[in-house]
Amino acid sequence: MVNRFTTEQSTATMRRWKPLAIVVLVATAALTALTADATARQARPAATVEATAPREAGEPIMAIVSIKSQKVTFYDADGWILRAPVSSGIKERETPAGVFAVIEKDKDHHSTMYDDAWMPNMQRITWNGVALHGGPLPGYAASHGCVRMPYDFAEKLFNKTWIGMRVIISPSDAEPVDFTHPALFVPNADALAAAPAKAETLAREAEDAARAADEAKKAAATTSREATSLPASLRKLEQLKKRADAELAYLDKALAAAKTDQAKARAEELKQKAATKAADAATQLDTAKADAQPKLDAAANAKEAAKAAATKKADAAKAATAAKLLLEPVSVYISRATQKLYVRRNTHKPAPDGGGEVFDSSIEVPVTIRDPDKPIGTHIFTAVARTDKGLRWTAVTIDNGDDAKDALDRITIPQDVLDRIAPTAVPRSSIIVSDEPLSSETNYRTEFVAVLSNQPQGGFITRQPTPAVDDDRVASGDAPDGGAGGFFSIFQRNPDYQTGNVQRRGGQYYRPVQQGGSWW
């Protein structure tokens, strides 16, 4: 009885508690779900609303992408002008943080890797396939390394940006702040005023030198053609004279050997004819030599004149290009990793192998950095507008080290470099200071490309890098978001293309730039 009662009592108790247990389980599951959902919401960045500044916007100077907040903000000289949510790279395909610039724009781009995926209003920032473009935004990182923007936003933005515009991708939120420092370029008012006229004058001189070189080349070709047949003609006359002299010598011997008067008379007659023939051949040869020498001298002189005109043309073109570049914003990159200073300006000349524009990189020099083993961070200083005293600058920091002021304090820029670039510095000029070397993606068709080695780079390093070759070099033309198109060839024997052994630093491959003259 006890056992049966206990069993019945247990069964009854279980029946009474079963509904309550189910309620508890359901409540627990709901609470778990709510907690997980809350955790997921916390893991995602807060939603960024697309916005336009409530003022008349100027030309955009830079774009800053925040990977943390999944947003992009465009700035003009007076502050932010456009803001929108973005979708950056997923885990192991992360969008690289660093310093970039727009190097190509394509209104209707299609990926060559991802099933012809549409990437409208594409603005490329590396040749290995990272770009800003319109795309779907699920509210979190979802791309293969590119920065997706709202479709309408990307379309509205497309015609506002320009080749060479700075694009900064920051691991966290960053924004430009007003900044002053003695190391920042202070333009010279007289140099700025004289620069346009000087560029125009040198451009005319370059055109005149080019025309003179073309005329000298044509004159050299004409005189060369006229003189080309002379050596052969002279050789022919020399051979005729040699044969005539040999015939005369033979007949002279024949005359001496003649035994009869008839034979002697016949030999004498032949000898006289041979002597006349030899004399005529000698006269023709002497006359031809006299006539040919001025023509040969003229051809040699014309050749030297053409060579000198070509040198003058090259020098004039170089001077004209340098003067024209002084009117362009100048970008300076100072690397603690390489202890070098690099200078770039956009020539606005289309790349000869298609895609993008050519950037002049004729200045590359060693630079002194105090405490070179101490991190300096990554800081971007940008001249945003003119002032009565020179230029107004802003600073953006995307990687900790020294603060911006201390970073500049540690650097001594060579005076000759300052003398070449500071007097005519204009708005949109910039100085970048970084622990990082230049990425191997920096070449003659890019502004500076530098990737933070302490941040994930999945969407960057999984793409095919620029190959480490010297001559006959061919670079990958991967489409944005990974399209490996291979559509262009790096111009052969370009002295400014980065050569040398590829090195690795913090997961990032880079190739030191070869020092040399301007590509153009």
Side-chain angles (χ1 to χ4, degrees), residues 160 194 277 288 341:
K160 298 180 184 295
K277 185 178 179 181
L341 177 150

Side-chain angles (χ1 to χ4, degrees), residues 45-68:
T48 300
V49 178
E50 186 175 335
T52 301
R55 61 179 175 83
E56 184 176 352
E59 183 181 51
I61 293 177
M62 73 179 78
I64 301 180
V65 176
S66 170
I67 295 177
K68 175 183 177 181

